[in-house]
Amino acid sequence: MKNKYLNFFTALLLAGLFAFSFTGCSEEEEFTDAIAYYQNEESGIGKITLAFYDDGTFELHKKFERPEKTNDKTITEDYSIATGTYTGNVASDSTITCTYKKSTSDSIAKLNNARLFGFFEKTETYGNDKFPLNTLSEPITQTYTISNGVITYEPINGIPLNNMNVKNWKLELTRK
């Protein structure tokens, strides 16, 4: 009898490990192809990542999971907020220049309407299909100083990363 439970438990454990090997991706694994990336500590706006790639491009990315109280659903926002090109050494303390070329628009109304379609589902993930990247009418250039492995991100007009109703906010993104 004891062997039967041990075999069942072992099979269950192996099945769980097998399933985790396909789904257990952390934020760090999402940016393995970046030469450097910087993230905030988890906050009320989610995990914000500024990732730099060896082809001279960057991505400002958001991942935020939040429960919906009204319908017992979990919403995950996992999308690129903005993309563009950069110059400078992003892998060490220095000054870099980012040119934002594409950005999502302010999609709060679209997000609220999208919730109605998946009413009976317990989880929904919103990516760039719900928050599409659009070419900016004018590129936006921003200079950042990387100091002690930290980039201080401040709000940029035209890039929809904001901290609702908070004036003069800054977000510290730490090299990972």
Side-chain angles (χ1 to χ4, degrees), residues 1 17-18 38 52 88-89 97 105 115 117 127 134 142 146:
M1 187 76 143
L17 289 173
F18 181 74
Y38 298 77
F52 299 94
N89 183 356
T97 301
S105 60
R115 288 181 190 160
F117 297 116
N134 300 304
Q142 183 71 32
I146 304 170

Side-chain angles (χ1 to χ4, degrees), residues 68 71-75 111-126 130:
E68 292 282 305
N71 56 16
D72 195 34
K73 184 184 295 189
T74 299
I75 303 293
L111 177 64
N112 287 336
N113 291 337
R115 288 181 190 160
L116 298 175
F117 297 116
F119 184 73
F120 295 107
E121 297 174 15
K122 290 295 182 188
T123 61
E124 287 184 53
T125 299
Y126 298 138
K130 298 282 187 214

Side-chain angles (χ1 to χ4, degrees), residues 3-159:
N3 236 0
K4 184 178 179 180
Y5 288 115
L6 183 60
N7 288 341
F8 175 75
F9 178 73
T10 302
L12 191 61
L13 181 64
L14 289 173
L17 289 173
F18 181 74
F20 180 75
S21 69
F22 287 105
T23 61
C25 183
S26 69
E27 279 85 16
E28 288 79 15
E29 292 171 357
E30 290 181 41
F31 301 101
T32 56
D33 54 342
I35 58 173
Y37 66 96
Y38 298 77
Q39 289 180 329
N40 66 322
E41 294 301 318
E42 190 63 53
S43 67
I45 62 172
K47 181 77 69 176
I48 305 300
T49 303
L50 188 55
F52 299 94
Y53 301 94
D54 63 0
D55 64 354
T57 62
F58 74 90
E59 168 191 15
L60 182 63
H61 188 270
K62 177 179 184 176
K63 186 167 187 178
F64 185 46
E65 189 173 288
R66 59 187 162 77
E68 292 282 305
K69 293 179 183 177
T70 57
N71 56 16
D72 195 34
K73 184 184 295 189
T74 299
I75 303 293
T76 300
E77 297 175 19
D78 189 1
Y79 62 96
S80 297
I81 297 169
T83 60
T85 58
Y86 72 90
T87 57
N89 183 356
V90 296
S92 64
D93 287 1
S94 64
T95 300
I96 60 172
T97 301
C98 292
T99 302
Y100 290 82
K101 295 183 177 184
K102 290 186 175 187
S103 174
T104 60
S105 60
D106 185 6
S107 300
I108 293 173
K110 186 183 287 186
L111 177 64
N112 287 336
N113 291 337
R115 288 181 190 160
L116 298 175
F117 297 116
F119 184 73
F120 295 107
E121 297 174 15
K122 290 295 182 188
T123 61
E124 287 184 53
T125 299
Y126 298 138
N128 282 108
D129 55 332
K130 298 282 187 214
F131 300 102
L133 287 168
N134 300 304
T135 302
L136 296 170
S137 59
E138 294 287 326
I140 300 170
T141 301
Q142 183 71 32
T143 301
Y144 298 105
T145 300
I146 304 170
S147 179
N148 296 319
V150 175
I151 292 175
T152 301
Y153 181 91
E154 296 182 39
I156 301 170
N157 285 335
I159 307 298

